[in-house]
Amino acid sequence: ESLSIDGNPSMSYGDIELDNTTGLLDSYLINLYQWKNRSISIYIGDASWARSDFSLIYNGLTAGIMCKDRNTLGITLVDKLARLNTAVTEEIIGYAGSTPQYITGTLWPGYDGSSFTPLLDSCITATKPVLIGECFNITPIEIAASNTWYPDYNGQVYMCHDSYIGSVIEVRDNAAPVEFATSNNFIVLKNASYGLITASVQGYIGTKAAVGYAGSFGSYSDTIAGCIKILLTGYGNSSYRLTDAELDFPNPDTTPYTGFYCASRENVLDVCNQIASSGGYQLVSNTVDAGYTSSASTSGKVKLIKMQISGTPDYVVTEENFILNSLTISEVFEAKSSIKLGYCKNWTVHTTSNIAEALVPESIPYFKTEYLYQRERDLGIYADYRDQTEPPSEDTLLNDATHAATELSRRKTINDEDRYVITATYLPDMLYVQLGQHIQFSLTNTNARFYSIVNGQTGIVYKIQRNWLEGTVIIGVLI
């Protein structure tokens, strides 16, 4: 299990070996059993214990089975995040199931409870767009040349999301504001378009409704935790979606504003990681319970962890907690003199040729560039490292300048000095440590290796490798 200092995603892998000396388990290799994407729980205990006293040490998925040698089978294990390795959506606009839809004329969906009758000029083969949170200047998909909702509106009809939305903030034609009306998840233009139609939209407000649905649609969310929760529980392959009970998230309202839009095939896990890393969070799956218990209160839950090195210590460790001479520095991350953070993504970058001439000159840059930027430079590091290169942009999906400044400050704090991963092999009392927890070093032997580097330091649990048979755990702490 591991985090990442720069927010790049990682996934835990492992295996469990089964003794097949007698050949009794040969049947596991044939089609009688399926080993891909199956839930698996592993417990540890002693043959003399009651089974209820066994402790849950792994809750995840199987990825397959192999014959490691004549006498050994190996079941490959992955954490629960593997369930998210599926497309956000594969629904096609012009199809109801596998049936092409060419029907024109009636409302969509039919408020009279009639069958699914989309308003389409032809069978459109584009993927239905998905918009979570708030997005600036997206390109909605045109689905019809006219409408029957608003007799005085003679322009085209556009789809901006696959279900009901919060609101359409504005619609622009070649970046110039135009009149419009909305119906459900559709935009209807007052007049026929002149050029490129874009819109700023607040998206998803609930589960996809059936025809004639009259119940509550839920609430709009445009925060990191809220948007990721929507994706994990409502999108991707329905067989692999997570439930609220499988999530261990911070209060969504405490996380920054964001939004995501896709009108093509996107991967749920990739999208969630992109949203999470925008605010310094990382999506991880707890594989073990956080304590000596078989209740599984936290095991297998997907968490959002804020990557912050400082924090209130969950453990204070001394030389008595780890094996003698196992303490070492396993990784070093050099300081960065400059950080350039992109925020407020423009989802449709205009060129000079499709910018309206009447547009206010001061607003043109907002439509011709993909991001707004905030920068931070440390002149001391700049001089020490002789770092004269322009930093690459670290682009995010943050929408708010204040949140972008907070995230820039967090990244600066992590990168304003060299950082070390302090690794040691710990004894059984540390077996249940969790990613994202904080450890403080309180060493007494002033002559010990790395004493001057680690003593008194508090860092975040960055890497974990548990050995349940030996009762030890290798923990890497980022300080």
Side-chain angles (χ1 to χ4, degrees):
E1 304 169 58
S2 67
L3 297 177
S4 169
I5 195 169
D6 57 8
N8 290 327
S10 61
M11 192 178 296
S12 301
Y13 293 89
D15 69 358
I16 184 168
E17 293 185 352
L18 305 180
D19 181 5
N20 191 32
T21 305
T22 65
L24 185 65
L25 305 181
D26 287 349
S27 60
Y28 282 13
L29 297 169
I30 62 176
N31 291 334
L32 180 64
Y33 299 97
Q34 298 298 327
W35 295 97
K36 188 174 180 63
N37 290 326
R38 295 295 193 256
S39 297
I40 184 170
S41 297
I42 301 174
Y43 293 79
I44 194 168
D46 186 82
S48 63
W49 297 3
R51 186 161 182 169
S52 59
D53 290 334
F54 277 52
S55 182
L56 180 67
I57 62 171
Y58 185 84
N59 186 314
L61 300 176
T62 60
I65 192 169
M66 68 183 77
C67 191
K68 302 190 78 168
D69 56 46
R70 177 179 175 85
N71 300 321
T72 310
L73 297 182
I75 300 176
T76 305
L77 308 175
V78 294
D79 66 37
K80 193 167 287 186
L81 294 179
R83 281 170 54 181
L84 311 179
N85 193 21
T86 179
V88 172
T89 180
E90 295 180 290
E91 294 184 40
I92 304 300
I93 294 176
Y95 286 82
S98 60
T99 306
Q101 301 291 296
Y102 300 94
I103 304 170
T104 60
T106 61
L107 292 175
W108 183 7
Y111 291 111
D112 57 358
S114 61
S115 60
F116 182 18
T117 54
L119 175 68
L120 300 176
D121 288 335
S122 61
C123 184
I124 300 174
T125 58
T127 303
K128 289 182 180 178
V130 172
L131 197 159
I132 311 293
E134 181 176 323
C135 292
F136 167 67
N137 208 41
I138 67 161
T139 301
I141 298 176
E142 182 179 343
I143 65 163
S146 61
N147 81 98
T148 59
W149 296 291
Y150 304 101
D152 296 333
Y153 283 69
N154 302 311
Q156 298 98 315
V157 180
Y158 295 82
M159 175 188 271
C160 55
H161 182 57
D162 70 343
S163 62
Y164 287 66
I165 61 171
S167 67
V168 177
I169 300 169
E170 65 177 7
V171 178
R172 293 176 176 266
D173 189 339
N174 279 1
V178 296
E179 289 187 69
F180 67 95
T182 61
S183 179
N184 309 330
N185 53 342
F186 301 105
I187 297 169
V188 183
L189 299 186
K190 174 75 171 179
N191 302 298
S193 64
Y194 175 80
L196 178 62
I197 295 297
T198 58
S200 295
V201 180
Q202 293 182 330
Y204 175 99
I205 60 170
T207 55
K208 287 174 277 190
V211 172
Y213 182 77
S216 171
F217 294 113
S219 59
Y220 166 73
S221 178
D222 60 0
T223 63
I224 285 178
C227 290
I228 292 177
K229 180 178 178 181
I230 289 168
L231 286 164
L232 297 187
T233 60
Y235 285 89
N237 188 312
S238 59
S239 299
Y240 301 147
R241 291 174 190 166
L242 302 182
T243 64
D244 288 351
E246 294 176 285
L247 305 182
D248 184 11
F249 278 15
N251 181 348
D253 295 337
T254 64
T255 57
Y257 300 141
T258 189
F260 184 84
Y261 176 72
C262 65
S264 58
R265 201 176 190 277
E266 300 274 359
N267 182 280
V268 173
L269 183 57
D270 290 344
V271 172
C272 289
N273 282 323
Q274 190 177 351
I275 294 173
S277 64
S278 295
Y281 292 88
Q282 296 187 32
L283 199 65
V284 302
S285 175
N286 272 6
T287 56
V288 303
D289 199 34
Y292 295 95
T293 175
S294 58
S295 63
S297 59
T298 60
S299 183
K301 289 196 174 184
V302 172
K303 300 177 64 176
L304 267 182
I305 294 176
K306 190 70 173 283
M307 185 63 177
Q308 292 179 316
I309 293 178
S310 61
T312 302
D314 298 284
Y315 298 88
V316 177
V317 300
T318 69
E319 290 91 341
E320 294 181 355
N321 294 105
F322 52 84
I323 294 176
L324 183 65
N325 297 329
S326 67
L327 189 74
T328 187
I329 297 176
S330 59
E331 291 183 73
V332 179
F333 300 102
E334 290 187 352
K336 294 181 181 179
S337 65
S338 303
I339 298 176
K340 177 182 177 183
L341 191 75
Y343 72 102
C344 198
K345 179 178 173 69
N346 171 16
W347 291 86
T348 304
V349 178
H350 290 261
T351 62
T352 302
S353 61
N354 59 22
I355 291 283
E357 294 181 1
L359 200 64
V360 177
E362 290 81 4
S363 68
I364 291 178
Y366 293 102
F367 296 94
K368 294 182 68 174
T369 57
E370 188 174 7
Y371 292 95
L372 302 180
Y373 294 102
Q374 294 192 24
R375 292 176 172 83
E376 187 74 49
R377 169 168 285 181
D378 188 306
L379 295 179
I381 299 175
Y382 179 78
D384 290 343
Y385 284 78
R386 301 176 183 177
D387 183 5
Q388 301 180 16
T389 60
E390 173 72 7
S393 174
E394 299 178 15
D395 298 329
T396 73
L397 295 177
L398 297 177
N399 284 336
D400 184 87
T402 301
H403 291 157
T406 300
E407 174 59 13
L408 184 66
S409 176
R410 185 197 66 84
R411 297 187 187 201
K412 179 180 180 299
T413 299
I414 290 178
N415 293 286
D416 62 1
E417 60 181 282
D418 290 351
R419 295 290 178 183
Y420 307 92
V421 178
I422 308 300
T423 302
T425 302
Y426 290 81
L427 299 172
D429 59 327
M430 300 290 286
L431 268 170
Y432 291 87
V433 71
Q434 303 288 315
L435 288 175
Q437 289 185 320
H438 288 87
I439 288 180
Q440 183 180 70
F441 292 93
S442 181
L443 307 184
T444 57
N445 182 3
T446 57
N447 296 318
R449 288 285 303 276
F450 312 114
Y451 174 87
S452 61
I453 296 176
V454 305
N455 187 54
Q457 295 277 5
T458 298
I460 188 171
V461 176
Y462 186 77
K463 288 187 175 181
I464 306 171
Q465 184 177 352
R466 311 176 206 269
N467 188 325
W468 294 100
L469 298 183
E470 292 184 1
T472 60
V473 55
I474 298 174
I475 301 173
V477 181
L478 180 66
I479 64 171

